[in-house]
Amino acid sequence: MKLYNIKENDEQVSFGQAVRQGLGRNQGLFFPSQLPQFDDVDALLDEDFIARSTKILSALIGDELASEQVNAMVDAAFQFPAPIKQVKQGVYALELFHGPTLAFKDFGGRFMAQSLAAVSNGGKITILTATSGDTGAAVAHAFYGMEDINVVILYPKGKISPLQEKLFCTLGKNIHTVAIDGDFDACQALVKQAFDDAALREEIGLNSANSINISRLMAQICYYFEAAAQLTKQQRENLVVSVPSGNFGNLTAGLLAKAMGLPIKRFIAATNVNDTVPRYLETGQWDPKPTVATTSNAMDVSQPNNWPRIEELCQIKGWGLDTLGKGAVTDQQSAEAVQELHQLGYLCEPHGAIAYRVLGEQLAEGETGLFLCTAHPAKFKEVVDDILSSDIDLPAPLAKHAAMELLSEDLANDFEALKQVLRKVQK
Ligand SMILES: Cc1ncc(COP(=O)(O)O)c(C=O)c1O
């Protein structure tokens, strides 16, 4: 597999290098030079999840890894299903929260851990990642206890749900969690600064597990195929997929799936009021505003990292950006959507409900709608209970961590202070 740096096209890397390095020169994202094309998608969809995902990922990775090895990686990473549930006539939820940390990030985080182990050339590795809530947990659990890998996770202090925090800030061992005095964009900016520091990168073997890392996105492509496989041929010919978006990794993966041949009629980018992308699609002006805290906090992102990959792909494929659906939803509207779904007999948290809401506004007669449910409702228990006046049960992994002590350290939004932490965890 060859990939190039979107910002500095002469930087070309292999899959192994892209996974080890995370980000290219000048903070450029890596993008595949060629995308495999599946001509007989129906036959591919007839395969089971693991066999099909192995084919998709092997086709992407090419001869750098044997397909038996990719199969073993997929088998280890994807040990949980991605079922679709019908919520009403013609509208389905894709449940991506059946992994160990109850969010879609388990697919990418676990496949990235497998990928890094497969392509590592021996030295020490420090995974530095910023999280708006769910990435941290998925990455922490995927890498927990792995030898020679230290994980440092930055998150905005007081701006993620208490249960999200408990799920990854209680592990210890090689997992170090840092509560930054700032918002998610500040955390992400610190990570980028660390990557820009070549000496530091070398010294600590810096890597990122954010959706910057191509291996995460590659894993996410597979569940779009899995969703389509559960629909009839007729339904998937008119399929509209609504993606709750923050950093836009999930939508990038969906568009990559389409580019590889998955018949998806159109995508909808659904955000909360942090609506840089919907406004950009409307006006052509890239004008990020200060990030606003919402009840869908994992999408409180106003400078989405993966957007350049979407522009790149649309340009390559000749897809006009105007073919992307879009919509921004207030907390009040997302609460209404949670209530509406509850009345339909489906329990959903605000991120998935935002995708449902925008889908409902834009789905046309004769189309099949699919919205992505990116987290288990109990991960946002406080918000969901408040909206529904309920007391929903915690699934076992959450209940266990909720009772454990937080191990995070607090840190100012300051790069020099972060460098000290990164050096300290090496010792
Ligand atoms: C529950 C949940 N939904 C949606 C998103 C947004 O996904 P993306 O950042 O890939 O756009 C996130 C990201 O953290 C999330 O945790």
Side-chain angles (χ1 to χ4, degrees), residues 4-7 23-24 27-31 212 305-306 308-309:
Y4 62 93
N5 176 336
I6 286 179
K7 277 196 186 158
L23 201 56
Q27 301 185 355
L29 297 164
F30 290 122
F31 195 83
I212 287 171
N305 241 331
N306 271 298
R309 281 185 169 132

Side-chain angles (χ1 to χ4, degrees), residues 102-105 131-135 164 184 211 216-217 220 223 243-252 270 296-299 301 304 306 349 351-352 372-376 379-380:
L102 309 170
F104 74 112
K105 311 265 169 158
T131 184
S132 57
D134 290 325
T135 297
Q164 279 181 316
F184 172 70
S211 45
R216 287 206 20 200
L217 294 185
Q220 290 177 256
Y223 56 64
V243 185
S245 296
N247 231 344
F248 282 78
N250 217 351
L251 182 60
T252 308
S296 48
N297 63 270
M299 302 188 336
V301 181
N306 271 298
E349 54 68 53
H351 301 77
L372 271 49
C373 289
T374 42
H376 191 289
K379 254 189 132 167
F380 295 91

Side-chain angles (χ1 to χ4, degrees), residues 356-373:
Y356 170 76
R357 163 98 191 191
V358 184
L359 180 69
E361 286 165 359
Q362 299 183 10
L363 198 64
E365 185 78 29
E367 292 178 331
T368 299
L370 182 77
F371 64 102
L372 271 49
C373 289

Side-chain angles (χ1 to χ4, degrees), residues 14 16 27 87 90 105 123 143 157 192 255 301 306 328 331 362 407:
S14 63
Q27 301 185 355
V87 300
K105 311 265 169 158
F143 286 92
K157 185 174 166 64
K192 285 188 171 176
L255 289 164
V301 181
N306 271 298
D331 278 357
Q362 299 183 10
L407 301 173

